[in-house]
Amino acid sequence: MVCPVCLGLPGALPVPNKKAVEWTIKIGKALNCKINPSSKFDRKHYFYPDLPKGYQISQYDEPVAVNGYLEVNGKKHGITRVHLEEDTGKLTHEGKDSLVDFNRSGVPLVEIVTEPDFQSSEEVKAFLEELHAIVKYLDVSDANLEEGSMRLEPNISVRAEGEKKLPDYKVEVKNINSFRYVKKAVDFEIKRQSGLLSKGTKPVQETRGYDENKGITVSQRTKEEAQDYRYFPEPDIPPMNFTQTYIQAVAVPELPSQKVEKYQKEYGVRENEAFLLTREQETAVFFEKVLLMINDKNKSQKLANVIVNKKIKIGGTAEEFIKKFEETSKEKETDTQALESAIVTTLNAHKQEVDSYKAGKENVIMFFVGQVMKEMKGNADPQTVKTELEKKLKKK
Amino acid sequence: MKILGNSYLELLELMKTKQISTKELHEYFLKRVKKFNKDLNAFITPPEDVVTEGDMPVAVKDNFNTTGLRTSASSKVLDDYISPYDATVVKNLKTSGSYVFGKTNMDAWAHGSSTETSDYGPTKNPWDTSRAPGGSSGGSAASVAAYLAPAAIGSETAGSIRQPAAWCGTVGLKPTYGRVSRYGVVAMGSSFDCPGPITLTVEDSAYILSKIAGKDEYDATTSTKSVPDYIRALKSPKKYKIGIPQSYFDTADKEVVEKINEAVKVLEKLGHSVKKIKLIDPKYAISVYTILQRAEVSSNLSRYDGIRYGNDRSNFGEEAKRRIMLGTYTLSHGYYDAYYKKAQRARALVIDDFEKAFKEVDLILAPTAPNTALKLGEFEKYPFFGELMDILNEPAAVAGIPAITVPVGKSKENLPFGMQVMGKQFDEESILDLSHQFERETEFFGITKELLKKYPD
């Protein structure tokens, strides 16, 4: 049976979930927010069949966290607020019937609101992917998009080039369950709204739903006027006060972006691999563990390559992994002799090209790399081949 | 054995000493309900014929959720609603040996001060059935006064326990906000609602409070303060400095003022000191209370949207509709600051006012209601009837402090009066102690026994 509180039965009262409050602070801290020392819940009134009390317990003017930012690809995106609210029921429509599933109603839900500082769908996607990785690192949600434990609701409006002011309308898109679809939905909206604007029509302020099969957005609810939610302080939940000691004690782990920087600066891993290694905390932790055990920073890039390219699966123990890793390293070492003879063979076979290289046509090197790789049947690292070739050619 | 007029604790003693059984007691009260309820309409869901659990019967107001027994809050919207869970108060009663002895009538959704807004007909005042018992806990007060139950549970938002208790000549206790859990009580004004007992004696009140009070993990607004032994507090009576706020007396009828002054003399004779104090005129509390309560009502009733509970919104009565509209208006964009926010600030002033007063005195004494029970039908003449009848109860409700009403005699028209004692937050012990001393001295002028002559076995 769904509990009386989730169903909002007569007489049922909400009690805030301490862990959820703590986790909201955690998210706020990870997003460089100011944590409000006092915060409260408010009732937000609206009618919808999935809202059993006729109001949602949310936060209006004293959210848990405010004024943060998240830096993605060198751009700081403003975080307006991070607040805690309760989830609603879930509506599903089957033929003529609409069904309400109240199992998730009353469950804590964190809403993260950004500033309107995104300029392209690529930025939106990259930001959301980074946010998704962070939420998973914080271990506050499985952030499963398919199951709706993380929901993405971009707001899009279009303005003329050079215009500084924000447009006086916005369109919110819901029902998006993947980052790819967010990008598609944003692109679709930019195109749709630009089309309207070029004809001199201002797009309607509304909520639209994304239809992933057709790749379009469809109008759901028009917000002709700003809806009056009649917010007032939730009398059933006393206001919360957080001491600095309490806020400080909420621990935030090393975040993916910090790891990317560390991998590059301290371990000498290239940016691309550092980024890929840190998308899942599990992978990053495994990488760090193995690197610590090998205790050889010269092997960090190679280790990163092996993990990122899944040359060795990371399912087993670190010891098993290291054994396999050392084996592949050895094989490559014996290859140097084969490489030596392959280079000699290649250079002897293409005397003309050697001459033009020496005459200054240095890009011929790529031709040699290709030839040597062919000779090696692909069993060589092109970068090493190139270095060795250059050494040989300089000597000659 | 003569049961008539015995207090809850006296009956409990008879049961403990095996002089009476639960079955006998149940049948005794059941017989009285069958005999008198058709005239009084105190119960809208009468007690069940057979007791299945517990020892001692307690009548419960119909806004408390009770498994197996309908909980309608006297509104047709919840006409056939049976809760899947017990209110914490009900659960606490059951675990301490009591059982729910029927559900009592009330103003629908607790909106009113006469029990006339009930969708199940008004309850009649046992002293004069052409009059209202007060409300909203009118059914609970009437059932105790006419001895259809040895004790009852009521709930108060502002006056809903004290005013009907006074009009029916019983003892009514409104505890500190947060002392007793609201979980499972159909919400009216969430920042005011307080469950409490309506009884024949102060001792019964203390006993039942000790059973229902305490921290509840299902109500975030309940206090973690430990529950004192209220009965023990009565056994070591203290002397108090009592404050008399003139503004409360200015509002009351002459006859009421005279009776309270006589009661004050009794207390002085008992060795308590009395001091005139200044409190904010209660008329300001009406505005504060009305605005905040209507706002909360409009929000709390939005869950009855016609999708669940089977009965649509046309079942809402006039009073509920008026309250929903007014509350919705004051919370609307552009009006919030002028009404709700301003009222919240004024509420803080009322709280401060009491705090200041309690630096000078231990307790504050005043009439419970400005007048005695009114004729049925009177309420329709006033759009804010409840607020006017409860004017002297609203300040304590706004401040969340505890208050108790006890009978101080009756008028020339043979209708009882109440005197209320207000105390500091969580100081239920002192208000119980003082009113208990008054009870021992006066035996409430024998008014309980006098009324029961009209309702013989």
Side-chain angles (χ1 to χ4, degrees):
Chain A
M1 190 188 83
V2 179
C3 80
V5 180
C6 309
L7 281 174
L9 291 184
L13 297 173
V15 173
N17 180 329
K18 201 175 168 188
K19 198 93 213 168
V21 174
E22 188 190 311
W23 284 356
T24 311
I25 293 176
K26 201 170 173 181
I27 294 173
K29 284 176 83 172
L31 298 177
N32 308 294
C33 290
K34 175 185 175 280
I35 307 300
N36 274 328
S38 53
S39 179
K40 67 172 169 71
F41 289 97
D42 299 277
R43 290 186 181 179
K44 177 184 180 180
H45 300 85
Y46 62 94
F47 169 79
Y48 215 61
D50 64 7
L51 193 65
K53 297 192 292 295
Y55 59 84
Q56 181 188 27
I57 301 171
S58 182
Q59 297 196 287
Y60 180 52
D61 54 354
E62 290 178 31
V64 168
V66 291
N67 295 339
Y69 66 87
L70 175 57
E71 191 175 322
V72 182
N73 297 331
K75 182 169 173 180
K76 273 185 184 175
H77 294 287
I79 304 291
T80 315
R81 54 191 280 149
V82 178
H83 75 240
L84 187 57
E85 59 186 34
E86 60 174 339
D87 206 348
T88 62
K90 191 178 163 187
L91 280 176
T92 45
H93 306 283
E94 285 176 16
K96 277 184 186 169
D97 300 321
S98 287
L99 305 169
V100 198
D101 178 353
F102 283 109
N103 277 292
R104 70 175 200 196
S105 102
V107 167
L109 179 80
V110 172
E111 188 160 293
I112 300 168
V113 183
T114 73
E115 288 292 298
D117 56 15
F118 293 83
Q119 314 248 312
S120 70
S121 60
E122 287 80 14
E123 275 183 17
V124 173
K125 183 168 177 275
F127 172 90
L128 288 172
E129 283 171 343
E130 186 68 22
L131 184 64
H132 185 251
I134 290 173
V135 169
K136 287 180 79 175
Y137 264 64
L138 298 178
D139 203 18
V140 295
S141 168
D142 64 6
N144 187 317
L145 297 167
E146 293 274 311
E147 288 168 12
S149 42
M150 180 166 170
R151 288 165 231 162
L152 320 169
E153 293 167 358
N155 283 255
I156 305 112
S157 47
V158 174
R159 67 182 167 200
E161 225 174 319
E163 175 66 52
K164 291 273 177 276
K165 258 177 41 197
L166 283 175
D168 59 354
Y169 76 93
K170 63 182 180 188
V171 173
E172 178 163 324
V173 184
K174 290 184 183 248
N175 310 345
I176 309 176
N177 63 7
S178 84
F179 300 118
R180 204 158 53 89
Y181 290 150
V182 169
K183 190 176 179 309
K184 282 188 172 180
V186 172
D187 286 336
F188 178 84
E189 271 305 303
I190 292 174
K191 215 169 138 192
R192 186 184 71 85
Q193 294 178 25
S194 304
L196 285 170
L197 287 164
S198 67
K199 277 187 261 165
T201 319
K202 193 178 99 180
V204 183
Q205 168 134 338
E206 61 183 340
T207 302
R208 298 176 73 87
Y210 184 67
D211 183 336
E212 57 188 51
N213 295 320
K214 294 184 187 153
I216 60 167
T217 67
V218 190
S219 181
Q220 279 186 337
R221 200 168 59 201
T222 311
K223 292 179 179 174
E224 281 174 357
E225 290 166 53
Q227 202 171 347
D228 189 351
Y229 290 121
R230 304 194 306 281
Y231 280 105
F232 82 102
E234 167 58 280
D236 290 330
I237 304 177
M240 302 176 284
N241 292 300
F242 309 117
T243 61
Q244 280 309 311
T245 327
Y246 175 77
I247 295 171
Q248 273 158 20
V250 177
V252 176
E254 191 176 36
L255 297 175
S257 59
Q258 293 166 319
K259 283 192 188 293
V260 170
E261 203 181 318
K262 186 171 83 176
Y263 290 4
Q264 286 176 264
K265 284 197 178 144
E266 291 180 28
Y267 308 155
V269 176
R270 281 195 296 265
E271 191 186 354
N272 184 45
E273 282 74 28
F275 179 81
L276 293 170
L277 276 175
T278 53
R279 291 310 90 194
E280 299 279 343
Q281 196 175 22
E282 199 193 348
T283 314
V285 165
F286 191 81
F287 167 74
E288 288 171 30
K289 189 178 173 187
V290 169
L291 190 61
L292 190 75
M293 286 165 78
I294 296 173
N295 196 21
D296 182 356
K297 280 195 183 154
N298 294 325
K299 288 182 183 165
S300 53
Q301 177 61 40
K302 192 163 177 202
L303 178 62
N305 286 342
V306 166
I307 294 178
V308 167
N309 298 326
K310 298 193 173 103
K311 287 198 176 135
I312 306 170
K313 286 251 162 21
I314 63 165
T317 67
E319 285 79 6
E320 284 166 10
F321 183 89
I322 290 169
K323 210 174 143 199
K324 284 184 198 159
F325 178 68
E326 298 292 355
E327 274 166 18
T328 58
S329 301
K330 258 182 220 152
E331 277 168 28
K332 290 284 175 201
E333 270 163 39
T334 55
D335 278 353
T336 49
Q337 275 186 330
L339 179 62
E340 172 77 26
S341 62
I343 288 174
V344 174
T345 315
T346 305
L347 295 184
N348 286 341
H350 300 91
K351 295 242 194 269
Q352 217 177 325
E353 284 79 4
V354 173
D355 289 340
S356 50
Y357 178 85
K358 285 187 173 164
K361 280 184 85 180
E362 292 203 350
N363 52 1
V364 178
I365 193 85
M366 292 323 287
F367 165 75
F368 291 129
V369 172
Q371 291 302 312
V372 174
M373 288 302 284
K374 213 189 231 171
E375 198 75 28
M376 295 290 290
K377 295 191 174 75
N379 285 325
D381 173 29
Q383 191 61 41
T384 320
V385 172
K386 193 175 166 224
T387 320
E388 290 303 313
L389 269 166
E390 277 166 349
K391 273 195 230 162
K392 268 275 174 325
L393 286 164
K394 293 255 156 69
K395 269 189 218 160
K396 280 210 167 182
Chain B
M1 186 191 303
K2 193 179 163 289
I3 295 174
L4 188 67
N6 273 307
S7 75
Y8 182 89
L9 281 173
E10 284 163 350
L11 294 174
L12 187 63
E13 191 55 32
L14 291 176
M15 190 166 289
K16 278 182 181 162
T17 53
K18 308 240 186 278
Q19 296 179 66
I20 192 167
S21 70
T22 296
K23 189 167 178 281
E24 286 166 321
L25 198 61
H26 184 78
E27 280 165 4
Y28 171 80
F29 283 108
L30 198 61
K31 208 172 127 195
R32 289 183 65 79
V33 170
K34 282 179 178 159
K35 189 167 169 188
F36 298 114
N37 194 53
K38 56 183 182 297
D39 293 335
L40 297 175
N41 196 30
F43 288 91
I44 53 169
T45 300
E48 290 162 304
D49 286 340
V50 187
V51 195
T52 49
E53 53 177 344
D55 301 321
M56 290 290 293
V58 175
V60 175
K61 188 176 177 180
D62 202 40
N63 57 346
F64 287 78
N65 280 303
T66 47
T67 50
L69 269 185
R70 176 178 78 157
T71 300
S72 74
S74 282
S75 168
K76 289 278 181 193
V77 174
L78 293 177
D79 188 39
D80 43 12
Y81 179 69
I82 294 177
S83 171
Y85 73 104
D86 276 329
T88 298
V89 165
V90 171
K91 199 184 86 197
N92 289 347
L93 284 173
K94 285 182 177 175
T95 51
S96 59
S98 300
Y99 64 92
V100 177
F101 185 74
K103 303 291 289 286
T104 59
N105 199 10
M106 56 187 280
D107 283 291
W109 308 107
H111 298 168
S113 298
S114 65
T115 320
E116 288 169 286
T117 68
S118 167
D119 288 343
Y120 302 91
T123 295
K124 314 286 171 54
N125 191 314
W127 287 85
D128 175 352
T129 50
S130 71
R131 292 178 187 271
S136 65
S137 310
S140 287
S143 70
V144 173
Y147 211 57
L148 307 191
I153 295 294
S155 70
E156 166 157 341
T157 309
S160 278
I161 288 175
R162 284 173 285 166
Q163 185 255 10
W167 280 16
C168 291
T170 58
V171 176
L173 172 67
K174 178 206 108 69
T176 308
Y177 180 79
R179 179 74 293 180
V180 179
S181 170
R182 295 180 291 118
Y183 186 70
V185 186
V186 178
M188 205 265 256
S190 308
S191 70
F192 302 89
D193 293 348
C194 292
I198 294 176
T199 54
L200 289 174
T201 69
V202 175
E203 216 180 0
D204 284 357
S205 188
Y207 179 81
I208 291 175
L209 178 64
S210 69
K211 298 300 172 197
I212 62 174
K215 175 72 190 166
D216 180 13
E217 60 171 338
Y218 290 103
D219 179 356
T221 61
T222 49
S223 171
T224 50
K225 274 192 169 61
S226 62
V227 179
D229 184 340
Y230 297 114
I231 293 287
R232 204 172 65 191
L234 303 185
K235 285 175 182 154
S236 45
K238 293 192 181 80
K239 302 286 181 234
Y240 297 98
K241 210 187 278 178
I242 302 163
I244 308 283
Q246 189 54 44
S247 51
Y248 284 59
F249 290 73
D250 294 344
T251 322
D253 286 355
K254 205 173 145 229
E255 215 181 354
V256 176
V257 174
E258 280 165 17
K259 281 281 176 224
I260 304 292
N261 285 338
E262 282 170 32
V264 170
K265 286 202 185 91
V266 172
L267 292 172
E268 281 181 310
K269 205 185 83 192
L270 288 169
H272 304 284
S273 65
V274 172
K275 189 184 172 185
K276 282 210 181 322
I277 57 163
K278 264 189 131 168
L279 280 179
I280 295 174
D281 193 313
K283 73 180 181 198
Y284 295 111
I286 296 188
S287 323
V288 174
Y289 169 70
T290 306
I291 290 166
L292 298 177
Q293 180 251 81
R294 298 292 196 273
E296 292 177 12
V297 162
S298 74
S299 173
N300 286 332
L301 292 183
S302 50
R303 71 188 61 187
Y304 308 105
D305 53 16
I307 294 179
R308 293 161 297 271
Y309 314 112
N311 306 309
D312 69 30
R313 290 185 292 170
S314 65
N315 290 281
F316 273 117
E318 288 306 309
E319 183 61 21
K321 284 185 204 167
R322 273 202 293 268
R323 292 190 185 204
I324 291 168
M325 281 191 281
L326 190 60
T328 304
Y329 175 79
T330 58
L331 288 178
S332 295
H333 187 70
Y335 297 101
Y336 179 82
D337 285 355
Y339 294 106
Y340 189 87
K341 215 165 175 184
K342 205 166 170 185
Q344 279 287 44
R345 282 200 214 110
R347 184 176 200 176
L349 291 179
V350 174
I351 295 169
D352 283 351
D353 193 39
F354 275 114
E355 274 176 11
K356 251 186 265 159
F358 283 124
K359 279 180 188 146
E360 286 182 64
V361 296
D362 304 315
L363 299 168
I364 296 169
L365 190 147
T368 306
N371 42 277
T372 50
L374 293 180
K375 290 271 187 192
L376 290 165
E378 284 283 305
F379 89 104
E380 283 176 18
K381 295 178 189 164
Y382 308 91
F384 289 96
F385 176 81
E387 284 64 34
L388 292 169
M389 290 305 110
D390 294 331
I391 179 169
L392 301 179
N393 303 145
E394 277 147 17
V398 166
I401 58 172
I404 190 168
T405 178
V406 293
V408 287
K410 49 192 183 73
S411 68
K412 289 184 203 94
E413 288 178 303
N414 205 36
L415 296 167
F417 286 113
M419 165 182 87
Q420 62 172 329
V421 182
M422 293 169 261
K424 293 176 198 131
Q425 290 229 340
F426 296 101
D427 188 15
E428 279 80 3
E429 285 165 291
S430 297
I431 60 170
L432 286 163
D433 178 18
L434 184 77
S435 43
H436 184 240
Q437 292 179 40
F438 179 78
E439 180 185 12
R440 279 204 309 199
E441 185 64 22
T442 62
E443 291 187 330
F444 298 148
F445 312 99
I447 69 162
T448 310
K449 295 214 165 68
E450 190 189 320
L451 176 65
L452 292 182
K453 282 179 198 153
K454 279 178 74 179
Y455 299 94
D457 285 337

